[in-house]
Amino acid sequence: MKILRVFTGLALAACMIFTIFYGAAKISEKNQVILPSEYKGVITLWQIDSFEGGTGSRKAFLLEAARGFEKENEGVLVMVVSHTVSSAKKNMDEGIFPDLISYGCGTGIKNATELGEKEKIYGGEVLGITYAVPWCRGGYCIISNPRVAKEKDAEDSDGTGHFGELLVSQGDYTQPLAAFALEGCTAENITVMSPMNAYVKFTEGKTPYFLATQRDIVRLTNRGAEFEITPLTKYNDLYQYISVVGQDATKNAYAEKFVDYILRDEVQEKLWKINMFSARIKTDFDSPRLEEMQGVNHEMTVSAFTSPEELKNMQEISLAAAKGNQESLLKIKNFIL
């Protein structure tokens, strides 16, 4: 009996030691977030075009980046889905969210989560915390038809930046006239049109000055048109942001890892393929005009989270400011960062 009691005691002690060390390790293991090398799943990314790009497709660029990311992260797939502003809003209103959203100003995205340490662009910050980073950008410029501009003498000769006649390409939420007014320019007769309609009107050859974007430079270059450009350097809102909006901690970790991936220099250097610029580094373009555009460092923008209603209001105020109304110019500055 004594031997049996000793044996039983030793067995119980062994069980306790086994439980404390091995069992506790297994319990802790069960509560850990799955390590990257062990994860198998799909990260969903919505691509929303809220302003015109350069050429080709931003979705195609993201798909190419996704394939490179997948090679480095075995078992992780990135699915890129196109959405309009309205279709994305409808889904979000119904509680349907992806893991990532790529978007421009006016999209009205929800549920953006704080990102880790990133190069800060003011438009993606709220109270000093980064919720969005731009992975590519466009820019505004004044395109002139040298022959018509000279014939009509549309710009004052005193160099004050006052224009007699100005055609403007404006999207649903873009702010070309804010960029124009903040540059210190004014115009007497301003015609605002949707991007494609404005481009078509300019190609008729009767318009001296065209407030346009990188997309119009690409179109006119492909057309073989004669034109000159002056980049606007003070303000820009043509940023394509990306935010993590998912609710799953593990997937969010991979989503942010993908954000880091597309911000790498070797990925950013490929933006020439879609004739878009990097907000981080200098890229090389065959077009000297695009080279000039991408060299600009803008001082001002608006928040990526500015509501569509506020942006519409800003467009109206900017029109008055572009015509020389100083009170409206001051009001624009209430919107900008």
Side-chain angles (χ1 to χ4, degrees), residues 112-134 241-244 256 259 305:
T113 61
E114 180 180 349
L115 296 174
E117 199 62 35
K118 301 281 186 298
E119 286 190 48
K120 296 183 182 297
I121 297 290
Y122 291 136
E125 291 184 27
V126 178
L127 300 177
I129 298 173
T130 301
Y131 293 93
V133 289
Y241 292 97
I242 190 165
S243 290
V244 177
E256 185 166 349
V259 172
F305 308 105

Side-chain angles (χ1 to χ4, degrees), residues 50-51 103-108 173 237 239 241 301-306 311:
S50 60
F51 65 90
Y103 60 98
C105 295
T107 311
Y173 305 111
D237 54 72
Y239 291 100
Y241 292 97
T301 189
V302 291
S303 171
F305 308 105
T306 305
L311 292 174

Side-chain angles (χ1 to χ4, degrees), residues 88-305:
K89 182 180 184 303
K90 182 177 183 296
N91 275 271
M92 289 187 288
D93 287 347
E94 294 174 358
I96 301 169
F97 288 86
D99 303 297
L100 288 160
I101 302 183
S102 167
Y103 60 98
C105 295
T107 311
I109 75 156
K110 304 174 184 177
N111 287 3
T113 61
E114 180 180 349
L115 296 174
E117 199 62 35
K118 301 281 186 298
E119 286 190 48
K120 296 183 182 297
I121 297 290
Y122 291 136
E125 291 184 27
V126 178
L127 300 177
I129 298 173
T130 301
Y131 293 93
V133 289
W135 65 268
C136 72
R137 68 171 177 86
Y140 296 112
C141 62
I142 296 173
I143 295 177
S144 63
N145 180 326
R147 178 183 57 79
V148 180
K150 184 176 181 180
E151 287 176 359
K152 293 192 174 183
D153 193 25
E155 183 177 13
D156 285 351
S157 59
D158 60 7
T160 60
H162 178 75
F163 295 78
E165 186 178 340
L166 182 70
L167 171 65
V168 181
S169 169
Q170 182 172 279
D172 288 340
Y173 305 111
T174 63
Q175 307 294 332
L177 286 169
F180 180 77
L182 289 166
E183 200 78 13
C185 299
T186 56
E188 289 180 26
N189 301 309
I190 299 175
T191 302
V192 179
M193 303 181 76
S194 65
M196 181 52 75
N197 288 339
Y199 164 74
V200 171
K201 183 172 177 60
F202 185 72
T203 59
E204 293 172 357
K206 300 175 182 178
T207 302
Y209 292 99
F210 180 23
L211 177 48
T213 73
Q214 73 293 332
R215 178 62 177 142
D216 300 294
I217 292 176
V218 173
R219 287 184 179 123
L220 291 168
T221 300
N222 291 341
R223 187 185 180 92
E226 179 187 0
F227 65 99
E228 298 172 356
I229 73 158
T230 302
L232 298 184
T233 62
K234 304 296 184 183
Y235 170 92
N236 186 28
D237 54 72
L238 301 180
Y239 291 100
Q240 188 76 27
Y241 292 97
I242 190 165
S243 290
V244 177
V245 296
Q247 301 301 305
D248 181 277
T250 302
K251 293 181 77 174
N252 279 4
Y254 278 99
E256 185 166 349
K257 195 173 182 182
F258 180 74
V259 172
D260 291 333
Y261 180 84
I262 64 172
L263 294 180
R264 288 183 187 176
D265 287 359
E266 61 265 31
V267 177
Q268 293 280 294
E269 287 168 355
K270 297 177 183 177
L271 286 170
W272 63 267
K273 293 182 177 182
I274 56 171
N275 283 318
M276 295 293 284
F277 315 120
S278 171
R280 299 181 54 258
I281 65 170
K282 182 181 182 297
T283 52
D284 295 320
F285 293 89
D286 292 333
S287 165
R289 297 181 177 101
L290 292 177
E291 278 279 345
E292 187 177 358
M293 288 283 288
Q294 69 93 41
V296 175
N297 294 313
H298 302 94
E299 303 169 7
M300 296 174 276
T301 189
V302 291
S303 171
F305 308 105

Side-chain angles (χ1 to χ4, degrees), residues 32 104 158 164 202 228 326 328 337:
Q32 287 177 354
D158 60 7
F202 185 72
E228 298 172 356
Q326 290 301 304
S328 295
L337 303 171

Side-chain angles (χ1 to χ4, degrees), residues 31-46:
N31 290 331
Q32 287 177 354
V33 174
I34 301 171
L35 296 173
S37 61
E38 299 170 340
Y39 178 73
K40 308 291 180 184
V42 178
I43 304 300
T44 304
L45 165 60
W46 289 356

